Amino acid sequence: AQKVTQAQTEISVVEKEDVTLDCVYETRDTTYYLFWYKQPPSGELVFLIRRNSFDEQNEISGRYSWNFQKSTSSFNFTITASQVVDSAVYFCALSELDSNYQLIWGAGTKLIIKP
Amino acid sequence: SAVISQKPSRDICQRGTSLTIQCQVDSQVTMMFWYRQQPGQSLTLIATANQGSEATYESGFVIDKFPISRPNLTFSTLTVSNMSPEDSSIYLCSGYQGADGTDTQYFGPGTRLTVL
């Protein structure tokens, strides 16, 4: 059965530290998409990245980077030199090819960046 | 990417009343979805809003409680009927864009509902 696990409920770091948010997924499909979304305290969900199952290249966008490893079914998210504005809940999600575009959500990781 | 707006952004309602939430997308999207997010929780899919036909509800959600309309490809409404304090949540709509290759759900800002 499909599932997304974000084992870290809450992470607290001091500003400028690097932090990695873990995401482990389960699926029987060979074609699927993985996503990360950010939900700041204001509540809106902000799309960060989509990765398809055939593209294992790591991605870097500014201070954000993503490590996709099919061998371990993981799609981890690293923030380098964290800032207070990075404080939010981060969700990892999975979409399978035949799922009518529905997303399977992880429980979310609350990230607190202390000044 | 699609830009999605929701109205109202928040509301405080009395038990037993109903509230209709509107969701407007700035471009045509293939699918629209409605979610509920209870405090401190992840997102739970309520239903898929189908254009011109009845919505497809997930287990645990029924049309009488959460009637949904989608009269065209850019607009949908969700009504929370006969509300109780347990309905206090954030309600989010999303639009899925696939035709442009993004294959991504974009979300509205959410509606924070408090039921007294």
Side-chain angles (χ1 to χ4, degrees):
Chain A
Q2 60 273 43
K3 186 179 177 182
V4 175
T5 301
Q6 295 180 256
Q8 303 151 309
T9 304
E10 183 174 305
I11 300 174
S12 180
V13 300
V14 177
E15 199 173 20
K16 298 183 183 175
E17 288 185 13
D18 298 348
V19 58
T20 295
L21 282 60
D22 298 332
C23 174
V24 175
Y25 63 93
E26 296 176 29
T27 179
R28 292 179 183 168
D29 281 9
T30 56
T31 304
Y32 52 88
Y33 294 108
L34 294 164
F35 301 83
W36 277 95
Y37 288 86
K38 173 183 180 180
Q39 188 175 42
S42 54
E44 79 273 24
L45 269 169
V46 178
F47 165 71
L48 295 178
I49 189 171
R50 179 199 67 151
R51 175 65 70 218
N52 75 52
S53 53
F54 298 109
D55 182 3
E56 282 194 77
Q57 276 193 331
N58 291 332
E59 175 130 355
I60 298 174
S61 176
R63 297 183 295 105
Y64 294 174
S65 62
W66 290 269
N67 185 328
F68 175 30
Q69 292 197 342
K70 288 177 74 170
S71 60
T72 55
S73 296
S74 65
F75 186 44
N76 296 337
F77 173 31
T78 297
I79 301 175
T80 303
S82 59
Q83 299 176 2
V84 172
V85 293
D86 296 325
S87 297
V89 179
Y90 291 85
F91 290 97
C92 181
L94 164 72
S95 176
E96 298 174 322
L97 182 63
D98 297 323
S99 66
N100 280 330
Y101 315 110
Q102 292 184 11
L103 291 170
I104 300 154
W105 295 88
T109 297
K110 183 176 183 179
L111 178 62
I112 300 169
I113 310 296
K114 299 176 185 176
Chain B
S1 63
V3 176
I4 300 178
S5 59
Q6 278 184 241
K7 290 195 295 188
S9 58
R10 59 178 64 234
D11 209 339
I12 300 173
C13 300
Q14 295 297 320
R15 181 195 298 262
T17 62
S18 297
L19 176 71
T20 295
I21 302 168
Q22 298 180 4
C23 178
Q24 179 73 55
V25 190
D26 70 340
S27 57
Q28 291 185 358
V29 289
T30 309
M31 310 286 282
M32 292 182 75
F33 301 94
W34 286 97
Y35 291 85
R36 182 173 72 183
Q37 186 181 25
Q38 295 181 308
Q41 302 291 314
S42 186
L43 281 76
T44 300
L45 181 64
I46 297 172
T48 302
N50 300 310
Q51 192 254 329
S53 64
E54 194 171 287
T56 304
Y57 290 84
E58 298 300 305
S59 175
F61 297 96
V62 295
I63 188 172
D64 290 346
K65 176 68 175 176
F66 297 102
I68 288 170
S69 77
R70 189 182 173 194
N72 56 52
L73 291 174
T74 62
F75 184 78
S76 179
T77 66
L78 167 75
T79 298
V80 186
S81 303
N82 189 24
M83 288 183 285
S84 66
E86 291 72 35
D87 294 319
S88 297
S89 289
I90 298 175
Y91 291 85
L92 296 127
C93 74
S94 73
Y96 169 83
Q97 277 196 323
D100 62 352
T102 61
D103 294 312
T104 295
Q105 279 191 37
Y106 297 97
F107 285 81
T111 296
R112 288 180 185 268
L113 172 61
T114 302
V115 184
L116 303 177

